[in-house]
Amino acid sequence: MAEAEFEEIADSFEFLDDWEDRYRYVIELGRAMEPLEDAFKVPATKVEGCASQVWLIPEIEGDGPQATFTFRGDSDAMIVKGLIAILRALYGGRTVGEVPQIDAQSEFARLGLHDHLSSQRSNGLRAMVGRIRDTASRAAA
Amino acid sequence: MYDVDRIRADFPILGREVNGKPLVYLDNGASAQKPTAVIDAMTRAYSEEYANVHRGLHTLSTIATEKYEGVRETIARFLGAGNSEEIVMNSGTTEGINLVAYGWAMPRMEPGDEIVLSVMEHHANIVPWHFLRERQGVVLNWVETDSTGALDPQKVIDAIGPRTKLVAVSQLSNVLGTKVDVKAITEAAHARDVPVLVDGSQAAVHMPVDVSDIGCDFYAITGHKLYGPSGSGAIYIRKERMAEMRPFIGGGDMIKEVHRDEITWADPPMKFEAGTPGIVQQIGLGVALDYMMDVGMDSIAAHEDSLRDYAVDRLSGLNWLQQQGTTPDKAAIFSFTLDGAAHAHDISTVLDKKGVAVRAGHHCCGPLMDHLGVTATCRASFGMYNTKAEIDVLVDALELCHELFA
């Protein structure tokens, strides 16, 4: 269950008080995530970013608001990739009805990573969250 | 003796911390910080001397106009232009080059006519020419740099053909730090009756510039990179070219008379300055240029050369770091990537935590990124107030990146 996975990450973060260790952990999470094959890194899956590239493939199982939402993602930047792994833990396995209710900004704030989701960061993550919510909302409708 | 501590004391922002660390500002290529003299001059202009320019006969309008027009003289002096009427004031290089594209190039270019430019141009010196390519079939003729990032002037000259109507090149690459011999290019181009536009956005910040010596037709600068306010700038336009230009942006201040079916233009350079300009920004720019000239452009260049030598020495000790742009006489602008999986974005994120501000991305240089075969680089770009100690901070932070991402 992804919700538990996210809580596990949040627990780990509580033990890491300096930013270097947090980044090490984020980078590890990114390394542990299965990379997206190059064949999937196409314009259709690309999320608008700036400095780094971000790709997202939503996967929905079932119909209606109870359908299960997961996604695959990747980035050419390692920190961003780690943050995508955290987003997967946050959203993966939820129903499409639940997904739009999740406040990613405040969940990331719990980890001290909220500035990575702010509109001033041109890392594509915020746009990724937007696309996740839109996709889930459409599937739930 | 160049007293960098005294200069630093003139820039209040350099005293602040970022993420709990002293700021090491190495993003001067994107925009430079401002000395107190500039900030104070802008405050004074707004609090004591503000009115619109070129219009009223009242006291404040006269003072504001005198200050604003005085800046035209300062810019002419800074660029070595013989006549301040050859200076059009604007919001920066982007506007300056668009003015040339719309006002000079557009009316005189036929399908198949060519513009020669280098692959290391900034988008400001690319996109306006793409407009001409898309809209009227102008051909963009690109000249490549070599593996060190050098641009051989002879290659630019050889690219000039019978259909070439303009050469548009930067004097100093914002990514590679490469300096370009625009004087040699101009001499050869003029021998073939081809005008030359120089993008001086970076060069004017780091080295003495003399447009009379270069001989070019257009030379564009940007105020915010010259320690002046954002939204300030200018373009030098040789008198003969100015006479050939039609106005670009229409509005107040650029006309003599306007009737229902008839209009007459103001004389250049006013013909090319429509609407209320950035009065206070421009006044700030004048103060910034005076500040630079007081320190001395030769002194600034010598200081930055010593920073370059030290940075080359320290960075070349990092065998996992790849530098883009290695010409020996380059400016203190360093683009690099790290071996392994670290993206420029990762590096700048970690450097930021160490208080070091650099740029990560394509630096508005798409064709150059293609040429280098990368999607993004990190760039540390130095200015008149940077120090060798800051290079040490940068190198320490890069070593941490190497350790984190290796």
Side-chain angles (χ1 to χ4, degrees), chain A residues 19-20 23-24 27 31 50-53 76-80 116 121-123, chain B residues 341-343 345-346 349-350 352-354 360-361 375-376 400 403-406:
Chain A
W19 67 267
E20 257 183 68
Y23 275 8
R24 274 179 221 281
I27 293 162
R31 282 209 170 105
C50 179
S52 53
Q53 304 185 82
D76 55 354
M78 293 175 79
I79 292 174
V80 176
H116 288 282
R121 292 267 168 170
S122 51
N123 60 14
Chain B
H343 188 276
H345 192 127
D346 293 316
T349 304
V350 172
D352 180 52
K353 285 285 186 189
K354 291 283 188 187
T375 54
L400 173 63
E403 190 238 312
L404 281 173
F405 299 111

Coordinates of all heavy atoms in Angstrom, one line a residue, chain A residues 19-20 23-24 27 31 50-53 76-80 116 121-123, chain B residues 341-343 345-346 349-350 352-354 360-361 375-376 400 403-406:
Chain A
W19 N 20.4 18.8 5.6 CA 19.9 18.7 4.3 C 20.7 17.7 3.4 O 20.2 17.1 2.5 CB 19.8 20.1 3.6 CG 21.2 20.7 3.4 CD1 21.8 21.6 4.2 CD2 22.1 20.5 2.3 NE1 23.1 21.9 3.7 CE2 23.2 21.3 2.5 CE3 22.0 19.8 1.1 CZ2 24.3 21.3 1.6 CZ3 23.0 19.8 0.2 CH2 24.2 20.6 0.5
E20 N 22.0 17.6 3.8 CA 22.8 16.7 3.0 C 22.3 15.3 3.1 O 22.2 14.6 2.1 CB 24.3 16.7 3.5 CG 25.2 17.6 2.6 CD 26.6 17.5 3.2 OE1 27.2 16.4 3.1 OE2 27.1 18.6 3.7
Y23 N 19.1 14.9 1.1 CA 19.3 14.8 -0.3 C 19.9 13.4 -0.6 O 19.5 12.8 -1.6 CB 20.2 15.9 -0.8 CG 19.5 17.1 -1.1 CD1 18.1 17.3 -0.8 CD2 20.1 18.2 -1.8 CE1 17.5 18.5 -1.1 CE2 19.5 19.4 -2.1 CZ 18.1 19.5 -1.8 OH 17.5 20.7 -2.1
R24 N 20.8 12.9 0.2 CA 21.3 11.5 0.0 C 20.2 10.5 -0.1 O 20.1 9.6 -0.9 CB 22.2 11.1 1.1 CG 23.7 11.6 0.9 CD 24.5 11.2 2.1 NE 25.4 12.2 2.5 CZ 26.6 12.5 1.9 NH1 26.9 11.7 0.9 NH2 27.3 13.5 2.3
I27 N 18.1 11.0 -3.3 CA 18.8 10.4 -4.4 C 18.7 8.9 -4.4 O 18.6 8.3 -5.4 CB 20.3 10.9 -4.3 CG1 20.4 12.4 -4.6 CG2 21.2 10.2 -5.4 CD1 21.7 13.1 -4.1
R31 N 17.3 6.4 -7.2 CA 18.1 5.3 -7.8 C 17.4 4.0 -7.7 O 17.5 3.1 -8.6 CB 19.4 5.1 -7.0 CG 20.5 6.2 -7.3 CD 21.9 5.6 -7.1 NE 22.8 6.6 -7.7 CZ 23.6 7.4 -7.0 NH1 23.5 7.4 -5.6 NH2 24.5 8.2 -7.5
C50 N 12.0 22.9 -17.0 CA 12.9 23.9 -17.6 C 14.3 23.3 -17.7 O 14.7 22.7 -18.7 CB 12.9 25.2 -16.9 SG 14.1 26.4 -17.6
A51 N 15.0 23.3 -16.5 CA 16.4 22.9 -16.5 C 16.4 21.4 -16.8 O 17.3 20.9 -17.4 CB 17.0 23.2 -15.2
S52 N 15.5 20.6 -16.2 CA 15.6 19.1 -16.3 C 14.4 18.6 -17.0 O 13.4 19.3 -17.1 CB 15.7 18.5 -14.9 OG 14.7 19.0 -14.1
Q53 N 14.5 17.4 -17.5 CA 13.3 16.8 -18.2 C 12.6 15.8 -17.3 O 13.2 15.1 -16.5 CB 13.8 16.1 -19.4 CG 14.6 16.9 -20.3 CD 15.0 16.2 -21.6 OE1 14.2 16.1 -22.5 NE2 16.2 15.7 -21.6
D76 N 15.8 13.2 -15.9 CA 17.2 13.1 -16.1 C 18.0 13.8 -15.0 O 19.3 13.7 -15.0 CB 17.6 13.7 -17.5 CG 17.2 15.1 -17.7 OD1 16.5 15.7 -16.8 OD2 17.5 15.7 -18.7
A77 N 17.3 14.4 -14.0 CA 18.0 15.0 -12.9 C 17.7 14.0 -11.7 O 16.6 13.6 -11.5 CB 17.5 16.3 -12.6
M78 N 18.8 13.7 -10.9 CA 18.7 12.7 -9.9 C 17.8 13.1 -8.7 O 17.1 12.3 -8.2 CB 20.1 12.3 -9.4 CG 20.9 11.6 -10.5 SD 22.6 11.2 -10.0 CE 22.3 9.8 -9.0
I79 N 17.9 14.4 -8.3 CA 17.1 14.8 -7.2 C 15.7 14.8 -7.6 O 14.8 14.4 -6.9 CB 17.6 16.2 -6.7 CG1 19.0 16.1 -6.1 CG2 16.5 16.8 -5.7 CD1 19.6 17.5 -5.7
V80 N 15.4 15.3 -8.8 CA 14.0 15.3 -9.3 C 13.5 13.9 -9.4 O 12.3 13.6 -9.0 CB 13.9 16.0 -10.7 CG1 12.5 15.9 -11.2 CG2 14.3 17.5 -10.6
H116 N 10.4 22.5 -3.3 CA 10.6 21.8 -4.6 C 9.3 21.8 -5.4 O 9.3 21.5 -6.6 CB 11.1 20.4 -4.4 CG 12.5 20.4 -4.0 ND1 13.6 20.6 -4.9 CD2 13.1 20.2 -2.8 CE1 14.7 20.6 -4.3 NE2 14.5 20.4 -3.0
R121 N 9.9 27.1 -8.6 CA 10.9 26.1 -9.1 C 10.5 25.5 -10.4 O 9.5 24.9 -10.6 CB 11.0 24.9 -8.0 CG 11.5 25.3 -6.7 CD 13.0 25.1 -6.7 NE 13.5 25.7 -5.5 CZ 14.8 25.5 -5.0 NH1 15.6 24.7 -5.6 NH2 15.2 26.1 -3.9
S122 N 11.4 25.7 -11.4 CA 11.1 25.3 -12.7 C 11.5 23.9 -12.9 O 12.2 23.6 -13.9 CB 11.7 26.2 -13.7 OG 13.0 26.4 -13.5
N123 N 11.2 22.9 -12.0 CA 11.7 21.6 -12.2 C 10.7 20.6 -12.7 O 11.0 19.4 -12.8 CB 12.3 21.1 -10.8 CG 11.2 21.1 -9.8 OD1 10.0 21.2 -10.0 ND2 11.6 20.9 -8.5
Chain B
A341 N 25.8 10.6 -13.5 CA 24.4 10.8 -13.7 C 23.9 12.2 -13.3 O 22.8 12.6 -13.5 CB 23.6 9.8 -12.9
A342 N 24.8 13.0 -12.6 CA 24.3 14.3 -12.1 C 23.9 15.2 -13.2 O 24.7 15.4 -14.2 CB 25.4 14.9 -11.3
H343 N 22.8 15.8 -13.1 CA 22.2 16.8 -14.1 C 22.6 18.2 -13.6 O 22.8 18.3 -12.4 CB 20.7 16.6 -14.2 CG 20.1 17.4 -15.2 ND1 19.7 18.7 -15.1 CD2 19.7 17.0 -16.5 CE1 19.1 19.1 -16.2 NE2 19.1 18.1 -17.0
H345 N 20.8 20.5 -13.1 CA 19.8 20.8 -12.2 C 20.1 20.3 -10.8 O 20.0 21.0 -9.7 CB 18.5 20.2 -12.6 CG 17.3 20.7 -11.9 ND1 16.2 21.2 -12.5 CD2 17.0 20.8 -10.6 CE1 15.3 21.6 -11.6 NE2 15.8 21.3 -10.4
D346 N 20.6 19.1 -10.7 CA 21.1 18.5 -9.4 C 22.2 19.4 -8.8 O 22.2 19.7 -7.6 CB 21.6 17.1 -9.6 CG 20.5 16.1 -10.0 OD1 19.4 16.2 -9.5 OD2 20.8 15.3 -10.9
T349 N 21.1 22.7 -7.5 CA 20.3 22.5 -6.3 C 21.2 22.4 -5.0 O 21.0 23.0 -4.0 CB 19.4 21.3 -6.4 OG1 18.6 21.4 -7.5 CG2 18.5 21.1 -5.2
V350 N 22.3 21.6 -5.2 CA 23.2 21.4 -4.1 C 24.0 22.6 -3.8 O 24.2 23.1 -2.7 CB 24.1 20.1 -4.4 CG1 25.2 20.0 -3.3 CG2 23.3 18.9 -4.4
D352 N 23.2 25.6 -4.4 CA 22.3 26.6 -3.7 C 22.3 26.4 -2.2 O 22.3 27.4 -1.4 CB 20.9 26.5 -4.3 CG 19.9 27.5 -3.7 OD1 20.2 28.7 -3.7 OD2 18.9 27.1 -3.2
K353 N 22.3 25.2 -1.8 CA 22.3 24.9 -0.4 C 23.6 25.4 0.3 O 23.6 25.6 1.5 CB 22.1 23.3 -0.1 CG 20.7 22.9 -0.4 CD 19.8 23.3 0.8 CE 18.4 22.6 0.7 NZ 17.5 23.2 1.7
K354 N 24.6 25.5 -0.5 CA 25.9 26.0 0.0 C 26.0 27.5 -0.2 O 27.1 28.1 0.0 CB 27.0 25.3 -0.7 CG 27.2 23.8 -0.4 CD 27.9 23.7 1.0 CE 28.2 22.2 1.3 NZ 28.7 22.1 2.7
A360 N 21.6 26.9 -14.1 CA 21.5 25.5 -14.7 C 20.5 25.6 -15.8 O 19.4 26.1 -15.7 CB 21.1 24.5 -13.7
G361 N 20.9 25.1 -17.0 CA 19.9 25.0 -18.1 C 20.5 25.2 -19.4 O 21.7 24.9 -19.6
T375 N 21.9 18.7 -23.1 CA 20.6 19.4 -23.0 C 20.7 20.6 -22.0 O 19.9 21.5 -22.0 CB 19.5 18.5 -22.4 OG1 20.0 17.9 -21.2 CG2 19.2 17.4 -23.4
A376 N 21.7 20.5 -21.1 CA 21.9 21.6 -20.1 C 23.3 21.6 -19.6 O 23.9 20.5 -19.5 CB 20.9 21.4 -19.0
L400 N 31.4 18.1 -3.2 CA 30.3 17.5 -2.5 C 29.3 16.9 -3.5 O 28.8 15.8 -3.4 CB 29.5 18.5 -1.6 CG 28.2 18.0 -1.0 CD1 28.5 16.8 0.0 CD2 27.5 19.1 -0.2
E403 N 30.6 13.7 -4.8 CA 30.4 12.6 -3.9 C 29.0 12.2 -3.8 O 28.7 11.0 -3.8 CB 30.9 13.2 -2.5 CG 31.0 12.1 -1.4 CD 30.1 12.4 -0.2 OE1 30.2 13.6 0.3 OE2 29.4 11.5 0.2
L404 N 28.0 13.1 -3.8 CA 26.6 12.8 -3.7 C 26.1 12.0 -4.9 O 25.3 11.1 -4.8 CB 25.8 14.0 -3.6 CG 25.7 14.7 -2.2 CD1 24.9 16.0 -2.3 CD2 25.0 13.8 -1.2
F405 N 26.5 12.4 -6.1 CA 25.9 11.9 -7.3 C 26.8 10.8 -8.0 O 26.3 10.3 -9.0 CB 25.6 13.0 -8.3 CG 24.7 14.0 -7.7 CD1 25.1 15.3 -7.4 CD2 23.3 13.7 -7.5 CE1 24.2 16.2 -6.9 CE2 22.4 14.6 -7.0 CZ 22.9 15.9 -6.7
A406 N 28.0 10.6 -7.6 CA 28.9 9.7 -8.3 C 28.3 8.3 -8.2 O 27.6 7.9 -7.3 CB 30.3 9.7 -7.7

